[in-house]
Amino acid sequence: MKLIIFFLKIKFYINLKSIFNSTLLFFYNLKKENTKYPKYLLKLEKKLATYFGVKYALTFSNGTTAFTAILYAIGVKKNSKILISKMSFPSVISSILRLGAQPIFLNFDENLQIEKPNQKIIQNANYLLITHAFGIPQNIQLINEYLKINPNLKIIEDNSHSQGAIINQIKTGAFGIASFMSMQGGKAINAGEGGVVLTNDMKIYNRMHYLMHLNRKSNFDKNLDQLSSIGFLGKGRMSPLGAIGALSDLNDLDNRNNKIRKKYKIIYDSLKLIPDLKFPYINDFENTGGYHYGLPVFIHSKETLDLIKNYFKINNYNWPNL
């Protein structure tokens, strides 16, 4: 009986996909293709660029390192003003602070959309960091309003929670000058630990290349090879073995997102009439994706919260300290 229970517990983890990935891990370790830039890591970068519809993708050790590379590559300086949602991951905020730049925090509403501050704040800002939280893209009309007020505002995206989400038929991560995303184990694309930057700007790509990819050979500019041997910001490359799981997840991402979209729709339809619950408005579930941390909901009654705890695991919003 105990043996049956054991197999039932591990059934979730034993499938063809995990067996295949484990075999690849063993194979590449055996061949010593487990460091620097083996072909399967470069394949992941190319597939990421193709999937998200950008020219370049560069992998990193984690999402924070990827964002740090963007900050340096685009020329963020001391006292640069960066508009950023209060719902942003703490290490993203601390990365800005370490450079001496100024995060200017934007409130967000119960639809998880950033709110527009007064016009002067937008006019004086240099950058707008967009976080697509919980798989729900930010409102493109509002972003365009920011740009009308300040056409020089440069947009960066945190795409860690919305992998596969869509704005105006374009995947999140393909707007602005660059985007980054974490591929930590809980994300839709799981490398265990890892990150990636997506951009259409070759200059940004090249700068990140020599800033954090020690001794990586360039496919675009051989003059960068000497610069990359210096390692200006240290070494930020990704562990190649994480690319095996990330490739598998990327290939399955659309299928995964479609399954979760259907589940979200069922939950929304079932619970939307309860007055004490406020779900973020979603115009089209087909535009959502990624879904890190689960389904967000504002609960306005302790009694309702206690009732829901009987059926669901509730994670409180846990980033307010910064």
Side-chain angles (χ1 to χ4, degrees), residues 137-292:
Q138 286 293 299
N139 187 320
I140 189 63
Q141 284 77 25
L142 180 61
I143 296 169
N144 288 335
E145 288 179 29
Y146 274 75
L147 292 175
K148 284 180 182 177
I149 295 170
N150 182 355
N152 295 318
L153 199 61
K154 295 181 176 64
I155 294 176
I156 310 164
E157 289 177 272
D158 182 348
N159 202 36
S160 301
H161 293 196
S162 60
Q163 297 160 6
I166 297 169
I167 302 177
N168 280 11
Q169 299 182 330
I170 299 173
K171 287 188 172 66
T172 56
F175 290 89
I177 56 174
S179 70
F180 68 98
M181 65 184 188
S182 165
M183 293 189 289
Q184 175 267 342
K187 305 299 193 299
I189 302 175
N190 169 13
E193 279 294 343
V196 67
V197 172
L198 307 171
T199 184
N200 286 308
D201 191 314
M202 181 182 279
K203 288 183 179 179
I204 293 173
Y205 175 83
N206 285 340
R207 286 171 184 162
M208 294 187 302
H209 180 136
Y210 67 73
L211 286 170
M212 281 193 165
H213 282 260
L214 196 62
N215 290 324
R216 178 169 178 170
K217 301 299 181 184
S218 173
N219 292 326
F220 303 102
D221 186 350
K222 296 304 177 185
N223 294 321
L224 295 177
D225 292 349
Q226 287 184 317
L227 289 175
S228 70
S229 67
I230 297 171
F232 289 92
L233 295 179
K235 186 167 68 175
R237 66 184 177 221
M238 176 180 163
S239 168
L241 293 177
I244 295 170
L247 261 171
S248 178
D249 283 346
L250 179 59
N251 290 334
D252 191 50
L253 182 58
D254 287 339
N255 180 51
R256 174 191 182 273
N257 281 341
N258 285 332
K259 288 179 180 177
I260 297 178
R261 285 166 188 153
K262 291 175 183 176
K263 293 178 182 179
Y264 266 35
K265 185 71 166 58
I266 292 170
I267 294 172
Y268 262 64
D269 289 344
S270 301
L271 301 181
K272 65 184 179 182
L273 298 179
I274 300 177
D276 292 326
L277 300 183
K278 174 65 172 69
F279 290 94
Y281 173 73
I282 296 177
N283 180 51
D284 187 351
F285 284 87
E286 296 302 312
N287 292 335
T288 60
Y291 313 107
H292 186 56

Side-chain angles (χ1 to χ4, degrees), residues 84-195:
I84 179 172
S85 169
K86 287 182 178 179
M87 188 175 286
S88 297
F89 196 69
S91 64
V92 171
I93 299 168
S94 61
S95 297
I96 295 170
L97 294 172
R98 279 197 302 274
L99 261 175
Q102 297 179 18
I104 300 171
F105 294 106
L106 303 172
N107 290 319
F108 58 89
D109 60 24
E110 290 190 345
N111 294 318
L112 305 184
Q113 302 295 320
I114 53 173
E115 297 180 346
K116 193 165 68 173
N118 69 62
Q119 190 163 308
K120 187 174 181 181
I121 290 175
I122 299 174
Q123 287 172 335
N124 291 333
N126 306 107
Y127 304 93
L128 170 61
L129 175 56
I130 300 169
T131 300
H132 306 290
F134 295 95
I136 302 173
Q138 286 293 299
N139 187 320
I140 189 63
Q141 284 77 25
L142 180 61
I143 296 169
N144 288 335
E145 288 179 29
Y146 274 75
L147 292 175
K148 284 180 182 177
I149 295 170
N150 182 355
N152 295 318
L153 199 61
K154 295 181 176 64
I155 294 176
I156 310 164
E157 289 177 272
D158 182 348
N159 202 36
S160 301
H161 293 196
S162 60
Q163 297 160 6
I166 297 169
I167 302 177
N168 280 11
Q169 299 182 330
I170 299 173
K171 287 188 172 66
T172 56
F175 290 89
I177 56 174
S179 70
F180 68 98
M181 65 184 188
S182 165
M183 293 189 289
Q184 175 267 342
K187 305 299 193 299
I189 302 175
N190 169 13
E193 279 294 343

